[in-house]
Structure formats: C-alpha cells, structure tokens
C-alpha cells in the first residue's frame, strides 16, 4: 500500500477499498503519510466525494486511531449534543447543566473556535479560574459528582481527526460533507456517549449554507451514529441570524447565565429546551421537564457546581473589553435581516476569534445586538455595540458589517424564519 495510489484512486473518482482507507488513516496518524499527501487526498475527497460505505469505513478508521471512552460505570444514562457551529451559538453552556439537572449525564467534549464561529472552550475560559483540560479520571469524577462536564477532548481521542482537521483548515477542505461527517462522528463515537443529538445549522453563518445540504449532512451523521450503536437524532436549525443578542466569549457566558436564571433571549431559550428534550428522549428519560428545571433554578445549581469543579468562580465578574463603539441604525423602520456571517466575521476581527489555532482570543471582545429581525429600530439609536481591547480593530469590524442588515419601512410586517427547520432520525 502506498499514499500515491490511494490519492490517484480518489483523484480518478474510484471508490476507495476498506484496506486503502484503514491504511491511509493509520499511516497518517503514525506520520508515515506526509501532510502534503494527506492534503492532496483531502482535496480529492472534497472534489469527488465518498460513498456511504467509504464514509463509514473512514469514520471507523479515525475512531480506531485512538482510545474509546466508556461510561458504563455511571449510574445515569449519557447523552451529548454537537453543533456544527454558528455565530452566537452558546447553547452548550446552558444545555449541559440543564440536561444533567433532568437526570442524564452529559460528557461534553468541546473545541475551540476557528474562523468566524466561536468555540465553547474559549467562551468558558473567560470565567476566572476555569480549566478546560482535565485528565480522564478528573472528567469522570466531575461527570459522576455533578452530572455534566464540558472540557477539551484529550489527545487520545481520534488523533487522526486532530491532525486532519488542522490540515483541512489550512487547505480549504473543511466544507466537505464526508470529511465533516466523519470528523464530528469519529470524536463523538470515540467519546462513548450512549445518545447524541446533532444541531446541524443552515445559513450564512454555518458551514452548510442551505437546508438541503444541512439535511444531507445530518442524514449522513445520523446513519454513522446509528451504525455504531449510538442513538442519534438531528435538528436542522437556522443560522442566517446570530443566536441570541451576543457574539463573543464573555458576552455569551453572561447571556447563558441569564438563560439559566430563567431569562435570556427567546430564541436561545427555545433551542436550549428543544435540544434538551431531544437529548433526554434519546437517553430514555422522556418524562423529564427541562422548562421546569430552567424555571426552578435546578439547572443553575448544576452550572455553578460544574464551573466550580473545574476551578472556576461562578460569582466572579466576567471580563469586559476596554473599548466600546456603538453602531447606530441608519434609518427608522423594521429590521428584516441581520446577517450571521457578517456579525461573526466582525466579532472575530474585534478579537473574539483567532486567525491561527495558536493565537489567543480576547475574553471581552465581541458584539452586542440591540435588535433582532422583526424589531422596530429608530434612526440614530444603537443597533449594535462593538467591544474590543484593540480599538484599531473597530474600522475592520465595521467594514465586515457592510450590507449586513435590511431595514424596511415602518409598519412593514415581518414573518420571522422559524428557528427549527426540521428533524432527522
Ligand atoms: N466540526 C468538526 O469537529 N469537524 C468538522 O469537520 C467540522 C466541524
């Protein structure tokens, strides 16, 4: 077996054999296939796709590249969620403690943001003292004692994906259905959760720009999960508008705490509760009532214990950026569109995200929205507040917002797009 013949086969649109896939993933993980060879193969997959059989084998090979965790010793059923990524998507923060408060165990291994989408770990690291890296025994202890844990995936979990994802990020091969599906599902299956709910986003701020592509991705991932014995369902959700009223690390933590306190923006609450119901159903707890656990403070109680168990101070003031700049509405009327990608890119330029994976992020940077589509806005009144420690960024951040909204004549009726667009599984 050699890398050149595997690349050539995929370049020439042939179906790769199981042996070819097992060999190339294993050899790449060991360093026997070079980055430039794997880049060429990733581009051939990006251009020519993979069959269902190939995706399934590719995922299995990535799982086999590392360890597989086992939660069989826990008293509660496990249930996890994965979002394909969006702007203002802070849902994991209230969701994990909420589902734990309802009786499931939530082992949430999360990532950092790259590009215009934020990462759960970056958000939580804005809480003073909070630690993303836990050893496997530490993770098990938090999960057992608190019911939910959000931490970085250890190096032992699907190491082939770790290498391949970093390579795809710099070779324009991220947005490939077989590569996204196998990347996400290899990590989630190796993590060992019994049930999995996928939030597959469609729209300008998502990898999948339309709902048909999102449905195809969701179907591939649900099939992969089911084939590997994980009860998997997917919700298709809108990502043309940012979620909630904040995009940026500490800003999103603040909003998540509002949701846990029984308040927060209606769309964040709606999606959190809908995903919680799916996770609890998939875990065999269909009678649990997540809306009640938000209202009666039990989810907040789990949140506080979860943050403290990882060294964080749930009562500490969250960092605030040194500088603010208010963007005002240019006209009076009804806001009918506020583009998620533009807001994500602008927040990223303010310092909320990173350009290279080793860059730091600013905890306080980001954007506050003062209106959402459907709201009435007044000329000269605040529409957005930009936050950063580096005021030179304001100009670039405002440039990213060029053409990001539409304001219709006062009194125009606006039918909001539903947040939940469909379900697979
Ligand atoms: N998230 C992942 O983990 N992998 C992808 O390929 C895309 C999003």
């Amino acid at each position: 077996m050699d890398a050149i013949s595997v690349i050539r086969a995929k370049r020439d649109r042939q179906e790769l054999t199981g042996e070819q896939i097992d060999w190339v993933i294993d050899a790449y993980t060991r360093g026997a296939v070079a980055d430039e060879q794997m880049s060429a193969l990733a581009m051939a997959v990006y251009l020519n796709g993979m069959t269902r059989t190939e995706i399934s084998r590719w995922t299995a090979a990535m799982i086999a590249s590392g360890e597989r965790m086992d939660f069989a010793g826990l008293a509660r059923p496990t249930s996890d969620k994965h979002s394909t990524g969006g702007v203002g998507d802070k849902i994991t923060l209230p969701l994990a403690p909420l589902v734990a408060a309802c009786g499931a165990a939530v082992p949430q291994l999360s990532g950092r943001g790259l590009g215009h989408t934020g990462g759960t770990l970056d958000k939580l690291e804005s809480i003073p003292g909070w630690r993303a890296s836990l050893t496997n025994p530490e993770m098990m202890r938090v999960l057992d004692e608190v019911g939910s844990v959000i931490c970085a995936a250890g190096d032992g979990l699907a190491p082939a994906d770790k290498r391949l994802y970093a390579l795809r990020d710099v070779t324009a091969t991220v947005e490939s259905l077989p590569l996204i599906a196998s990347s996400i599902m290899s990590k989630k299956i190796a993590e060992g959760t019994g049930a999995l709910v996928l939030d597959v986003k469609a729209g300008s701020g998502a990898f999948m720009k339309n709902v048909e592509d999102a449905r195809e991705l969701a179907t591939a991932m649900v099939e992969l999960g089911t084939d590997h014995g994980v009860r998997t369902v997917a919700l298709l959700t809108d990502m043309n508008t940012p979620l909630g009223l904040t995009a940026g690390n500490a800003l999103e933590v603040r909003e998540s705490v509002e949701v846990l306190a029984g308040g927060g923006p209606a769309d964040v609450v709606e999606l959190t509760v809908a995903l919680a119901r799916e996770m609890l159903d998939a875990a065999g707890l269909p009678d649990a009532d997540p809306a009640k656990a938000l209202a009666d403070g039990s989810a907040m109680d789990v949140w506080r214990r979860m943050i403290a168990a990882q060294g964080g101070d749930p009562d500490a003031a969250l960092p605030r950026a040194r500088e603010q700049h208010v963007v005002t509405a240019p006209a009076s009327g009804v806001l009918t569109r506020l583009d998620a990608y533009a807001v994500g890119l602008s927040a990223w330029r303010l310092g909320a995200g990173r350009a290279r994976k080793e860059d730091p992020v600013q905890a306080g940077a980001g954007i506050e929205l003062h209106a959402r589509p459907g709201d009435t806005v007044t000329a000269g009144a605040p529409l957005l507040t930009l936050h950063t420690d580096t005021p030179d960024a304001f100009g670039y951040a405002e440039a990213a917002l060029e053409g990001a909204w539409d304001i219709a004549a006062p009194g125009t009726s606006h039918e909001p797009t539903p947040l939940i667009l469909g379900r697979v599984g």
Side-chain angles (χ1 to χ4, degrees):
M1 204 70 81
D2 66 278
I4 299 169
S5 56
V6 180
I7 299 166
R8 185 181 295 121
K10 189 39 74 185
R11 182 198 69 188
D12 295 345
R13 298 195 168 80
Q14 290 165 21
E15 184 173 46
L16 298 180
T17 65
E19 291 71 30
Q20 283 176 315
I21 291 172
D22 291 351
W23 178 82
V24 81
I25 296 289
D26 176 57
Y28 181 57
T29 311
R30 287 186 285 110
V33 165
D35 275 350
E36 55 271 26
Q37 293 176 311
M38 201 58 175
S39 305
L41 182 57
M43 186 56 83
V45 170
Y46 177 94
L47 294 171
N48 295 331
M50 285 206 276
T51 61
R52 182 173 173 199
T53 312
E54 285 176 298
I55 300 176
S56 178
R57 188 70 171 242
W58 186 279
T59 306
M62 297 225 289
I63 296 167
S65 73
E67 63 180 331
R68 211 170 158 168
M69 300 191 71
D70 182 6
F71 298 120
L74 289 176
R76 304 158 168 228
T78 47
S79 196
D80 194 7
K81 181 271 315 197
H82 182 88
S83 156
T84 55
V87 178
D89 184 2
K90 71 273 300 169
I91 300 293
T92 293
L93 276 57
L95 181 64
L98 173 59
V99 172
C102 293
V106 185
Q108 177 80 55
L109 301 184
S110 294
R112 294 180 192 284
L114 205 59
H116 72 280
T117 64
T120 297
L121 301 181
D122 295 325
K123 295 171 199 189
L124 285 167
E125 277 175 346
S126 65
I127 300 173
W130 188 86
R131 256 183 331 118
S133 293
L134 301 182
T135 61
N136 285 356
E138 280 176 325
M139 178 196 171
M140 283 293 190
R141 186 180 51 76
V142 180
L143 195 54
D144 195 30
E145 290 175 8
V146 178
S148 60
V149 61
I150 304 176
C151 61
D155 288 341
L157 212 74
D161 178 65
K162 216 177 189 108
R163 287 198 69 187
L164 182 54
Y165 189 84
L167 193 67
R168 287 165 56 211
D169 192 49
V170 293
T171 55
T173 51
V174 171
E175 302 94 334
S176 151
L177 186 150
L179 295 179
I180 295 176
S182 55
S183 164
I184 291 174
M185 294 307 291
S186 62
K187 284 175 290 206
K188 288 292 159 184
I189 295 165
E191 173 197 283
T193 184
L196 176 64
V197 176
L198 299 161
D199 179 2
V200 181
K201 303 214 168 279
S204 75
F207 286 130
M208 296 293 148
K209 302 297 174 199
N210 62 62
V211 72
E212 293 74 30
D213 290 348
R215 189 178 295 280
E216 210 186 318
L217 175 63
T219 304
M221 292 197 289
V222 168
E223 285 171 356
L224 283 172
T226 309
D227 288 352
H228 284 86
V230 180
R231 285 180 304 283
T232 310
V233 296
L235 292 186
L236 309 177
T237 69
D238 180 68
M239 189 29 74
N240 282 306
T241 304
L243 262 174
L245 293 169
T246 55
N249 302 309
L251 291 169
E252 292 190 44
V253 172
R254 194 190 69 202
E255 190 168 275
S256 303
V257 172
E258 284 167 15
V259 171
L260 287 160
D267 61 330
V268 179
V269 176
E270 179 190 345
L271 189 52
T272 303
V273 171
L275 288 166
R277 290 213 165 98
E278 294 286 354
M279 287 171 72
L280 291 160
D281 240 20
L285 300 166
D287 298 330
D289 185 353
K292 179 168 170 291
L294 271 188
D296 69 12
S298 50
M300 175 69 101
D301 182 48
V302 177
W303 161 264
R304 293 175 60 81
R305 289 194 288 126
M306 179 180 80
I307 297 302
Q310 290 175 241
D313 177 356
D315 295 314
L318 291 165
R320 187 175 154 77
R322 280 197 290 277
E323 305 275 343
Q324 279 75 35
H325 173 74
V326 174
V327 177
T328 55
S332 294
V334 179
L335 186 68
T336 55
R337 184 178 67 88
L338 183 56
D339 184 67
Y341 177 70
V343 171
L345 183 61
S346 184
W348 177 75
R349 289 185 178 176
L350 289 164
R354 49 172 72 76
R356 293 172 313 148
K357 64 181 190 315
E358 44 288 323
D359 290 348
V361 295
Q362 292 178 29
I367 299 188
E368 266 179 287
L369 281 51
H370 300 294
R372 293 186 52 79
D375 291 348
T376 297
V377 297
T378 306
L383 185 59
L384 306 168
T385 301
L386 314 186
H387 297 248
T388 187
D389 294 333
T390 45
D392 286 355
F394 283 134
Y396 301 109
E398 282 204 89
L401 292 167
E402 194 77 31
W405 55 77
D406 291 328
I407 297 173
T412 305
S413 78
H414 173 74
E415 195 58 48
T417 318
L419 179 57
I420 299 174
L421 305 168
R423 185 178 187 280
V424 175

